[in-house]
Amino acid sequence: MVRKVNRPGSYQDSGLFGCLGVGLPFALSAKALNPDQTVLLLSGDGSMGFNFMEFDTAIRHRLPVIVVVNNDLAWGMIKHGNEITFGKDNKTGSELGLVRYDRMAMALGGYGELIRDPADIAGALQRAKAQNVPSCINVVTDTTVVSPGTTSLALLFLEALTEHKA
Ligand SMILES: Cc1ncc(C[n+]2csc(CCOP(=O)(O)OP(=O)(O)O)c2C)c(N)n1
């Protein structure tokens, strides 16, 4: 994949292996380098759990990034991939329940909101920006939506599995 970088110091890459959890550390370095710009991180709920304590780093270093969690209550890619490959009942260990990252942000001294209605997202973002502290907008999303990337990967895997069995 070719990516266009518009100016020096404006691109971060975690490498080839889809390294979950890099979002928050990357957002902090982006904010440290660009203090006058708004830095917004979009993260999965599972990914958020990897390095959430970096929220404390954000508070200590006064790096007011805004984190939006797409909270589908699961390791979504794994859950949906397993359902496609092994059938609807096979989602062992991939459901996370509702983790209150918004409250965790507040407990550390940041700002947080739990959002269930998409109509409330814009207002929450404005409030987070006005607070000017690290913020977490925890958005509960539709747990049934499957990413097209997940579907194609799972179908490839299923094909390989079927060929192996044949
Ligand atoms: C460090 C690391 N561990 C495990 C994986 C395997 N993995 C790929 S996608 C995924 C689930 C991600 O869940 P979430 O962040 O909630 O995003 P969603 O798929 O629900 O959008 C996992 C565990 C990975 N890519 N990187």
Side-chain angles (χ1 to χ4, degrees):
M1 190 200 304
V2 178
R3 293 190 181 102
K4 195 173 168 215
V5 179
N6 296 316
R7 59 188 170 81
S10 65
Y11 180 74
Q12 300 181 84
D13 194 325
S14 67
L16 295 175
F17 301 111
C19 208
L20 295 188
V22 299
L24 189 50
F26 274 17
L28 299 193
S29 55
K31 186 66 181 173
L33 282 168
N34 304 279
D36 298 331
Q37 289 193 36
T38 301
V39 172
L40 183 86
L41 166 68
L42 296 179
S43 173
D45 53 322
S47 306
M48 202 67 244
F50 272 79
N51 288 316
F52 193 83
M53 273 313 284
E54 295 304 334
F55 225 89
D56 181 62
T57 311
I59 307 249
R60 279 185 288 112
H61 291 273
R62 296 183 200 283
L63 296 167
V65 294
I66 302 173
V67 176
V68 176
V69 181
N70 171 21
N71 203 328
D72 64 353
L73 319 182
W75 299 108
M77 195 174 181
I78 304 300
K79 182 179 99 173
H80 296 303
N82 282 348
E83 285 176 339
I84 295 168
T85 314
F86 304 113
K88 275 281 170 200
D89 294 330
N90 290 282
K91 47 191 170 198
T92 312
S94 55
E95 289 179 306
L96 297 170
L98 179 57
V99 179
R100 293 299 301 270
Y101 290 114
D102 51 311
R103 286 190 181 155
M104 288 162 68
M106 288 164 90
L108 291 168
Y111 181 72
E113 282 194 41
L114 180 71
I115 301 292
R116 291 182 185 275
D117 183 344
D120 295 334
I121 295 174
L125 289 176
Q126 278 161 3
R127 288 186 289 279
K129 192 157 164 46
Q131 293 285 330
N132 204 29
V133 292
S135 304
C136 178
I137 309 302
N138 196 4
V139 184
V140 180
T141 55
D142 185 344
T143 60
T144 61
V145 173
V146 184
S147 133
T150 299
T151 307
S152 9
L153 268 178
L155 290 178
L156 272 178
F157 185 61
L158 194 59
E159 201 179 289
L161 211 63
T162 317
E163 273 170 21
H164 180 71
K165 275 187 191 160

